Each structure stands twice: as C-alpha cells, then as structure tokens.
Amino acid sequence: MMSGDENTFLEQPTDVVSVWEGDSDSITCSIYNSENELGMYLRTQVPPDNVLYVPKDNKPTVLPAFVNRIKYSKEGAKLTVTLLNARESDSNFYLCTRFTKRNGYHVRLDGKTTIVVVKAAVVPPLKLGINKHGAGIVEQSPLIVDIQQGQSINITCVLNSSYEDEEIYLLKTHMQPEGVLRVSSQKALEIFPHFANRLEYSKQEKKLVITLHSLQQSDSDVYVCAAVLKNTSLFSMSQKGTMVLVKGGEETAFHNRSWAYYGLIIMAVLLFSVLMCFAVYCVHMKKYFQKRKTNTVYEDMSYGSRRNTFIKPNIYTNDT
C-alpha cells in the first residue's frame, strides 16, 4: 500500500470539466503577449490532434469536427475556449500549448491539461460501461457507497486490456468536478491536492484499489475511473461510476436530537393525559359526595316532619 506523502504534485495543475451531453464547457489557457509569442494551440491528447490554433496576428484555425461548435475569447493573459453542444466523443484530455521563438527556433511549451468528461443524458442499459472510445475497457465497483463523515471507502478500477502502456485516473465528475488520482504503468503518480494525505492505493497488474480516508460532506460526488491507452489513442471511462454519499455529523446529531424531542413530546403528552384524568376523577368524586350529603339531610328533615305530624295533638278537638 502506497501513500501520497511520498509523492509530489505536477507543476501544472490538471482541471476537470464535467458536463451533460448537449451542454457547453469552457477551457482556460494562459497566454503571453510578448514579441516572441507565435500563437496558442488547444490540443487533444488521445489521439493527438489540434482542436484550435489561435495565432498572434492571423485568423484562427479550427479542427473540422469542431467547426460551428467552438468559440473563443481573449481577456488579458487568459484565453477562454468554449466547446458548444458537447458530445460524448468530446471526452478527452485537452492541452494548452504555446508556440514561441527562441534564438531563431520555434519552441513548443505545454501548459495546463483539462480533462473534459461529457456525460450521456440517457445511458441504454446494454451499453453501461462501454465508452465510444473503447468497448468495456474500464470496469468499476462499487456502484453506491453511503457512509458517515470521517469514514473511509474503497473504489476498485479494473482494466480489460492487454496493453502495457496505460494511465488510470479517478475523477470526480458531478458536484465538484476535479481529479483525484493518476497512476501510470511506469509508476508515475499524481495525487490531486484535495485528497493529499487522505489517499492510499494498491495496484496489481490491471486492478487498482483506491482508499479514500476521512471523507467529508463536500466529498459527496460521483467518482469515475478512466483510462488512457497511449499506444492505441484510446480514452475510456466507466459510465457506471461510484456514487458516494457522505452524511455529516450535524445531520446525525440532528437526527438523534429529533428522536429526543419526540420522546420529550410523548412524555409531556402522557403526563398531561394523566393530570387531566386525575382532575376529572377529583371533580367526579367531589360531585358524588356532595350529592350523597344533600340526600341525607333531605331524608332526615322529611322524617322529622313526618314524626312531628304523627305526634302533634289536635288542638281543635273539643271535650264532650
């Protein structure tokens, strides 16, 4: 198992742009306005091809496949190239390349690389895992991971190819597109800054197992394995990907607090019900005893009245 602590990052950062089929994506290149500058190329790496050439003084040249689907703008030291109506076949590695003059020679200077991932709006079930650049070259597992914040996951990338010269990438492609890892057959390694000190991997022949540690809510995304077969000009991605959902500690605490609140509410309702029953019972008993006392007095008074009537002499009776 190897760790990212032993490796350094590339000087030129690699961007990742992820869009849905039919949308637009933008690539930014740095330009220089010196006298020796000749122009800027935007090139694909697999296969190597010039998508756009913007010379310093003349009109730009566009690759036929991108005619009517590309536009660019210059602002200061920045060249922004926009690819319109993106297609799955546009998924590739795009390289910004400057051409300049030095001591009478034309010199090519490679700059930033941008990985463009174009996601199909609808993926037919029979074509899962098959990319237009290569049939079923990359397989990936698991499909879905649901974990708590701070935990770790394993993602496995497998290449079904007999070619020896290849590079394997792990990319985030949806919420926050960016690179995670690049490993080549020559042991070259690039761990992208966001996962520095949080990534380990092991590689056995065509199988790459990547372990991501201390995941946070911001790491929730779809992670996709991709491969570049350099000798064949093939770029292939797993269209299944791994959906990673990281639940935050606050969410768990809120969940626990919710159950505590529910428990308190239930206890309060039960206590209120008991108090109400006790109050009703007391009122009922009070009325019951008041009713019994009134009837006794009435009976005693009635009896005394009748007794007095029975023994009272008749004062109106005359002696004869």
Side-chain angles (χ1 to χ4, degrees):
M1 184 74 73
M2 286 166 278
S3 166
D5 298 339
E6 310 163 15
N7 301 280
T8 57
F9 304 120
L10 297 184
E11 292 183 3
Q12 290 289 343
T14 301
D15 286 349
V16 177
V17 177
S18 178
V19 297
W20 292 104
E21 194 172 26
D23 291 343
S24 301
D25 60 87
S26 295
I27 298 170
T28 302
C29 301
S30 298
I31 56 177
Y32 299 85
N33 295 319
S34 67
E35 295 180 356
N36 294 327
E37 291 295 312
L38 299 175
M40 170 70 72
Y41 279 97
L42 180 66
R43 306 168 56 241
T44 57
Q45 290 186 346
V46 279
D49 216 337
N50 296 326
V51 175
L52 173 69
Y53 176 56
V54 182
K56 185 177 180 180
D57 300 318
N58 298 321
K59 293 183 179 180
T61 303
V62 180
L63 185 71
F66 288 91
V67 172
N68 301 324
R69 291 203 302 121
I70 196 168
K71 65 179 183 179
Y72 74 95
S73 62
K74 290 182 180 179
E75 184 177 351
K78 183 172 67 174
L79 173 69
T80 301
V81 181
T82 302
L83 306 180
L84 307 173
N85 191 23
R87 304 168 183 172
E88 278 191 274
S89 57
D90 295 338
S91 297
N92 212 315
F93 290 71
Y94 291 80
L95 180 64
C96 299
T97 301
R98 293 167 49 211
F99 271 86
T100 184
K101 285 191 300 183
R102 287 185 182 177
N103 300 323
Y105 294 95
H106 290 180
V107 179
R108 190 183 83 175
L109 301 174
D110 290 336
K112 184 179 67 175
T113 297
T114 300
I115 304 174
V116 174
V117 178
V118 181
K119 300 165 289 188
V122 178
V123 181
L126 295 179
K127 291 187 179 181
L128 283 175
I130 298 176
N131 189 279
K132 288 183 180 180
H133 297 280
I137 291 177
V138 183
E139 294 182 357
Q140 180 176 347
S141 64
L143 186 62
I144 300 175
V145 180
D146 187 351
I147 62 170
Q148 297 295 329
Q149 183 170 283
Q151 293 182 333
S152 303
I153 63 169
N154 289 331
I155 296 176
T156 301
C157 306
V158 179
L159 266 63
N160 296 319
S161 72
S162 58
Y163 299 98
E164 297 298 329
D165 190 11
E166 81 274 338
E167 289 184 342
I168 305 176
Y169 288 79
L170 182 64
L171 310 171
K172 290 173 64 177
T173 62
H174 281 65
M175 301 296 292
Q176 187 177 353
E178 61 181 335
V180 177
L181 174 69
R182 176 183 67 87
V183 179
S184 73
S185 55
Q186 284 79 28
K187 307 290 185 180
L189 171 67
E190 177 186 6
I191 296 178
F192 290 76
H194 185 69
F195 285 93
N197 305 318
R198 295 198 295 139
L199 186 150
E200 293 180 333
Y201 79 95
S202 62
K203 189 173 186 295
Q204 295 180 348
E205 296 182 352
K206 303 294 181 178
K207 180 179 179 181
L208 178 67
V209 179
I210 303 161
T211 303
L212 305 179
H213 297 290
S214 303
L215 291 178
Q216 307 298 313
Q217 282 184 288
S218 59
D219 295 325
S220 296
D221 211 310
V222 176
Y223 291 73
V224 176
C225 298
V228 178
L229 306 181
K230 293 188 175 180
N231 294 335
T232 64
S233 298
L234 284 177
F235 172 53
S236 180
M237 293 184 300
S238 168
Q239 291 188 352
K240 292 182 180 179
T242 297
M243 181 180 293
V244 177
L245 176 61
V246 183
K247 296 179 180 178
E250 293 182 359
E251 179 180 345
T252 304
F254 176 77
H255 180 74
N256 294 334
R257 286 197 299 267
S258 298
W259 279 109
Y261 293 152
Y262 293 150
L264 290 175
I265 292 172
I266 292 172
M267 291 178 63
V269 171
L270 290 175
L271 181 60
F272 180 75
S273 300
V274 170
L275 292 175
M276 287 296 297
C277 291
F278 181 74
V280 171
Y281 174 78
C282 290
V283 171
H284 178 74
M285 293 302 295
K286 184 176 180 180
K287 290 183 178 180
Y288 175 76
F289 283 111
Q290 285 179 348
K291 184 177 180 181
R292 286 184 60 84
K293 186 176 180 181
T294 302
N295 291 341
T296 303
V297 172
Y298 174 77
E299 290 175 359
D300 290 345
M301 291 178 63
S302 300
Y303 173 76
S305 177
R306 290 195 303 273
R307 186 172 179 275
N308 292 335
T309 302
F310 293 149
I311 64 176
K312 186 176 182 180
N314 188 354
I315 60 176
Y316 298 104
T317 303
N318 296 324
D319 297 333
T320 53

